[in-house]
Structure formats: structure tokens, C-alpha cells
Amino acid sequence: MGNTLPCGGNQGSRSSSPRNLLRDNISYPSIQEGEGGLDQAKLDSGDVINQMVWSSQVTELGSMRLPTGVPRLLIVGVGRGREDSQLVAIREAAKRISLPVTQVNTTEEANSAYRRNGHHLIILDTRTSHNYDPDLITKTIRQCTGGEYAVIVGIVRRNLLEKEELSVTPHLNAGMDRIVGESMSRAFWTNELLQLVRGPVNTAFRLRATQSLFSALDNCRDIVQITDSSHKVTWVNHTAEKILGYSRDEILGRDIRELQTTGTGDNIASITENQNPAERNCDPWFLNKLHDGKVWEGPINCKRKTGDYVPLASRVAPVSFSHNRSTDQIIYVKDPPPLLRDKIMSDSAALENFSRLNSFRKTSFDVTSIISEGKEANSANYLRRPSSHKQYSMSIEAPITKVINIILAAQENQPSYIAQALDKVVDILKTSGSPDLFSPELEYERKKHGRDPDPGLDLLGALLANSGARGGSMLPRRPSSDKGVPAGILATTTPCPSLPTIEAAPAQIRQLLSECNTWTFNIIQLERLTEKRPLVWLGMTTLLRFEVTKTLGIEESTLQNWLTLIEANYHSANTYHNSSHAADVMQATAYFLEKESVKSLLDNVDEAICLIGAIIHDVDHPGRNSAYLCNSGSDLAILYNDTTVLENHHAALGFKLTQSDDRVNIFKNLDADTYKVFRQGLIDVVLATDMSKHFVHVTKFCSHFCKGQDEDRASEMSSDGTEAQTIMKRMLIKCADVSNPARPLDYCREWAARIAEEYFAQTDDEKEKGLPVVMPQFDRATCSIPKSQIGFYDFFIHDMFEAWNAFADCQELSANIATNYQFWKQKLEEEENAGGVTPGGMSTLAKVDSVDSRSDSDTLTLHDNQSVASEQEKDL
């Protein structure tokens, strides 16, 4: 409050008269004055005095209604610890009007008491002593939070006030609000306290409440600026600072006409920095409205600190504090443009994540064409991208990607025609629901392809689908006699023989497992040699190499039992989603974990989470996708509310199996905190394999790791901590899960045939049961496997592996992807030249079956695979 609050006058007068804005709007009870003065009998009644002093429970600040309370009084240094007459008079007066009192004598005690209780009224002696400094006390109180609203009254000798002019000035300059002469009269101090409480203390209480108004203005999304009648800026809110770029210190006291114009766009171009603000053209309607005391609405061209002008829809309201309608202040309320507002204040986590990305540019969206509609001549100056930035583009862009492209382009220098780019942003957001911002616009792409859509789009739609229309049929229910454990989980009709140790394994298996740390590892051969039980053999070899038993604190026998149980719950009848796929994903995960850029971010717990997550990520997969389960009304779809059905099931069942018996519980020796880390990490990586979230994970990874320059990458990643590790682990298991296109050609073709057969079987099943066909192009009579593979590469593989291989330095994967992609394009060309499609790739699968039916004595080598592949090429 300082010296701006009104001070009291003579002893018998009020210190100030109430303003219209700061008023109680109450009527106080009166006591009739008789011939001998006030009725003393009534004055002796405490209830009457309380009704006179504290008659109202509320006070008003404009239209704000505030509850009132009894102010607290702090007496400092009066009497210096002695019970002198003045101290007794002040205390009796305070007691008379029920004012709570705290009394202290030293500087330290005064400061401590105020910090503890925040008194509203302080009365102190102005005379100093060795441990008492009234000026220091005053300054300390003013520096405390809320101290500017305390009313501080100093006591001086009465003859000093009567004989010396301006004797109060030093005390007022020190921060005191009022100076009174000393008095030993209780009546004097009763009247003085009443005046102080009903005058400056009450006013200060209302002024204290204005902080909530300033806080509200600072937290609103509109730009708020206040000027005096001479257009000098007196206050701006935080939004104005952030959007326009000027801090309060830079703008307070400046003529606001230097920073805006209400003229047309032509006036903006003619503005020069040397031009007097008063000479600038303003809309006459604007001036007339303000002169008449009316609110004006319209666009105002506001200057940002970067030098450009932004047109903002504004409301300007003049404020008058008197009845003559003269303007005392002018209030500007301006709507910030959506792009700038979201850039500074967005609550969207996705946009906040991407705002840190300066090198992530999406070249496939033509930002230049958007902005050039307004200013073609200048667009190149603002949209030139640094050549050092790596370009990562999506084949089909999601709405959020388009938004980010526009934001990144507009961030360069914020040209004046930015409003046209913002319109595009708003249109995209309005036409796309927020849950789908990361998903490609498939219907638009299908329309582009006409009546013969790319089967890759069909595959894309199916993989991104979370649910479908409910059908009438249900998958068979599990028997109720299993006590909550699905049939076939803990018991099988055919007991599995005990597994020998790796040292006692046949030489062929041991030789093959010795190559498990290479990218050319032959999982198909291991599948045959182990009689479709590759997960246990490869799992033991890999997990022991990473010392997972040490991390978990378990015996090798527990790990082997667990792997055996998990593998038993993969469906060997599935052509693709079986234990061989789980083993393949785990092998790819292990390969990635040994890359230097990955190792630098992860510890042994993270490595164990990734490996175990890869092992359980498809356990009990039914060979049908989530959309099929939703359409068929399966128990799993009902259990998980049609949301990430399979991935939720895999994660939940993985833990259920693990905890089903102490002999298989690999987590039994973990403490509670470590187990929580494992559980959260495993659930996260398994759910990350949900292809409906593909673009979310890939885009976040690119925004976090795919920097244009590598110098500061390590420091940036290490500073991000857990977030960076989580994003990286999700991307790692995603790449491992769909790594088949990055494998050598022979393995790539094998897995392509297997997944196609599984999709064919689902389509056959859907037709037979009358369910919606999720992937109509995967009809074994008409489907082109090369065409479906090319679509999968275009929509998923290229972008994801380009980013991952650049981060993890896996150039061999990029080379394989390029080779395999060319192979499928060549096969598609041959297929089209032949004028037809080999129905369902059945001959390819027949060759695969013939490989699996070889005698146990035969060893499938890479040369054998190449021979089979050469025969399969003829059938494709």
C-alpha cells in the first residue's frame, strides 16, 4: 500500500471518505446523543459496541463481495517493556472494540511476529533505541508478502506535530501511513482505532483482494493491456508478454500507439520507426468511440518484438473514475491468434513435446502453398529450412503432423500474413477429432486411389483399428472349471518332455545358438530343430547372456520353467503369431540392446524389461486381430472394453502365468519398488506393440531423438532421464516386432507368406461367420502379396526404420529393407505383366510346409533356404 493510502486528519475527524468503488453499502446503528453527551449506559454494553464497529460481515469491491474479519493489531516499542499510561490506553481501547492485540518491544520480535501473523494494523513508537529501529521494522514489513497492505501508524511527541512543519515527512518516506501524537487517553485511542479500522485498514483489505483480480487476468488466455488517458501503458498481463514478446519493464510507460495501429493494412506498410505516434493514422470511429466513453470493437494491428504486425480482434473500453465522463484509463482486451496462443500456453502434451523439435520437418505437406496464398513473394524468405536438418517424412500424414508443419514454418520469423496459415491450422483441428490427430486420414487416401484401393491401405486401416461393429456370434467361452486360468495355460493334453540344458543340446542347436547375436540369425531353422520350441532355447541363451537371472535374483531353473510355460501358451497352429515370432522379436531386441547408442541410455533393469516384454508380447495370440475380436463380441473384447484388446491380454496373461506357481515366478525375489518398476515397464512396452498407436510412438521418437545435428544429442538425452528411456524402449520393441522386412530376403519372404496366410484365414473365418471383413483385400483368391508388402513398407516400415537406424546405427537393416522392397516391386511388376495374381500365395506356403516336414536328421542351412526361396520365386 505504501504512501498511497489516505492518512487520518485531526483527532476528531475521519482519516478519509469512502470512494464509490470501495464502500460497505451498509447502515450502522446509531446511539442518540443526549444533553450530557452519548448515552454512557449503552456505551458500557459490549454488544452495542460490537454492533457499531463490526456490524457488517461483508464488504464490496465493485461487484466483488468480500467477507470481512476482525483485523489484528501489533503494538511495537510502546513503553519499551514498561506498563506506561499510553500502552495501557492503547490496549484498553483495543479491548473496548474487541481488537486482537500482540505486543512486542524489539526489532527482531516485531519482524518475527508480523511474519507469523500478518497483522493488518501496526502501531509503533518512532523513537529508536539500541535494539529497536522503527524505520527498519517498517521497511521489513513492506518487503514481506502482503506487507504493502498493512497500515502502519507511528507515534511521536505531540509538541513535535504542533510546532514543526513537515515533521512527519521522514516517517512517511520510511513507509509509514499515518503519524499521530502521543496520548494517555483511552477515549482518544478508541476513536483513533475506530477511524483506522473503518478507514485505511478497511480500504487496504479491499485493495488486498485486487490481487486475485490481477492473478485472474495473468492466467487468462486473452491479451489484456491498460493505459492511462494519455495512452501510456500502465499494466499488461502475462499473455501479452508471451504473445507480443515485450516484458512489462520494456512496455510500461510507453505510448501504446507506438506498438499498434487501428488503420488498414496499407497504414502498416507506411509506418516508420521515426514517425511520431500521434501522427499515425487511427480509425476515426475508434477515436470517436473512446471520446464518447463507449466500447470499441474491431481489429488492431499489434507489433510484436520480432518486428512484424499481427492483426488481433480487440475490445477497447474507456474507464472513468468521475461523473464528468472524462477518460481516466483505457482497457484493451485482444484475442491472441490460435497458433501463437497454443505455441505458448497449450495444454496438449503432444504439442508441448513437439514444440522442442526444431529439426523435425515434414516435407510432404506443402506449407509454402498455404502461406503463399497471402504473400507469395515473401514466402521463400521465411520457409527456407536449414540444410543440416535431417528430413523425416511420413507417407500418409496425420492431422497433427500438418499442424506441426505449419507451426514450424510460421515460427521462422512470424510474417504479417501469418493469419492465413493459422486459418489452415484451425480448419484441420476443427475437422479432426482430438483422439485421431495422430492417425492418417485413410478415407482421403482411399478416395485418391479411386475404385481400386491399395491393399496396403486396407492393411493400414486394419492395423490401426481398435474396434469394429459388433456381430452376433461369440468366440467359444473358456471352461469355468479352470478357476480363472484359461484352459491350456498350466496344463496341456500332451505333456512337454523335460528340456535338457544348453550344454547338453545337440550340436546343431548349439552351433546355431552361437550365432544368435547376429542379424542373420536363422530362427526358422531353430524352429525346426527344436520341434517348434525355439523360445526356450533362444530365451535361455539370450537372457543368460544379458545376466537377467542376476538382475532378477533367481536360479536358472526358474527362468527355464518360466520360458517353458510361456512358450506352451503360444499357439503353434498360428502361422505367424507363434513362439517362433516371439523368439524372433526377442532376438531382434537383444541385437538392438547391444548397440552403443541404446546401451548408453539403459541399465540392466531396462534391458531385462525389453527382453521379457518381447517374450510375452504376443502370448496366447488367437491368430485374429483385435478388430475381429471386437466384431465377434469375444470375452476378451468385453473384458477390455474394445480398447487395445490383444495387447492388454498379452500383458495381463504374462503376469498371471508368472505368478501362477512359485517355480515359474521370475519376480519372486524382487522388492516391492523394483517389482513396480518391472511391472510398469513391461506393461508399457507390450502396449507399445499396438499398431493403432504406431504413429504416436514413431512421431514422439522422432521429435525426441532424430536431431539434425548430433553434437549435443548425448547431453539432451541424458537430461531427459526416464522420459527418453521410455520413448526409446517403445520404439525398440516396435522395430523388433515388425523387423521381418529388415531381415535378409529369405527370412523376409518366409515371414511375409506366414502373415498373409494368417490374414487369409481370418478373412475366411469372417466370411463363414458373417462378420464384417476387416481386411477385404486379404482374400486368398484375389490378394497380391507383393502389393500388400509394398503398402506395408510405404506406410509403416520406411519412416520408422529410417529414424531408428539413424539413431541406433543399424545400416545393415536399411540395406536389407532397400533390397527387399525392390524384390517386392519386381514381383509386383512380374505379376502385373502376367495379367493376374497367384491365388493367395498357396504355392509359397506349400513350400514352407515341405521345409517343416523334413526329417529330423536334416539340417536346414542358409543355402537350403536360398534354394527354397529360388523355387518360391517361380510360384510368386
Short mmCIF file of all heavy atoms in Angstrom, two decimals, residues 449 557 606 762:
data_model
loop_
_atom_site.label_atom_id
_atom_site.label_comp_id
_atom_site.label_asym_id
_atom_site.label_seq_id
_atom_site.Cartn_x
_atom_site.Cartn_y
_atom_site.Cartn_z
N HIS A 449 -7.08 -43.08 -54.45
CA HIS A 449 -6.77 -44.28 -55.22
C HIS A 449 -7.95 -44.76 -56.05
O HIS A 449 -7.82 -45.73 -56.80
CB HIS A 449 -6.33 -45.41 -54.27
CG HIS A 449 -4.95 -45.22 -53.74
ND1 HIS A 449 -4.69 -44.37 -52.68
CD2 HIS A 449 -3.76 -45.76 -54.11
CE1 HIS A 449 -3.40 -44.40 -52.41
NE2 HIS A 449 -2.81 -45.23 -53.25
N SER A 557 16.99 -72.50 -13.22
CA SER A 557 15.87 -73.43 -13.35
C SER A 557 14.53 -72.69 -13.34
O SER A 557 13.60 -73.05 -14.07
CB SER A 557 15.90 -74.45 -12.22
OG SER A 557 15.84 -73.81 -10.95
N ASP A 606 16.33 -52.03 -17.39
CA ASP A 606 15.70 -51.70 -18.67
C ASP A 606 15.90 -52.82 -19.68
O ASP A 606 14.98 -53.16 -20.44
CB ASP A 606 16.27 -50.39 -19.21
CG ASP A 606 15.91 -49.19 -18.36
OD1 ASP A 606 14.73 -49.08 -17.99
OD2 ASP A 606 16.78 -48.38 -18.07
N GLN A 762 -8.19 -65.39 -41.33
CA GLN A 762 -9.15 -64.52 -40.65
C GLN A 762 -10.26 -64.09 -41.59
O GLN A 762 -11.44 -64.10 -41.21
CB GLN A 762 -8.45 -63.28 -40.08
CG GLN A 762 -9.41 -62.27 -39.46
CD GLN A 762 -8.72 -61.14 -38.74
OE1 GLN A 762 -7.76 -61.37 -38.01
NE2 GLN A 762 -9.21 -59.91 -38.93
#
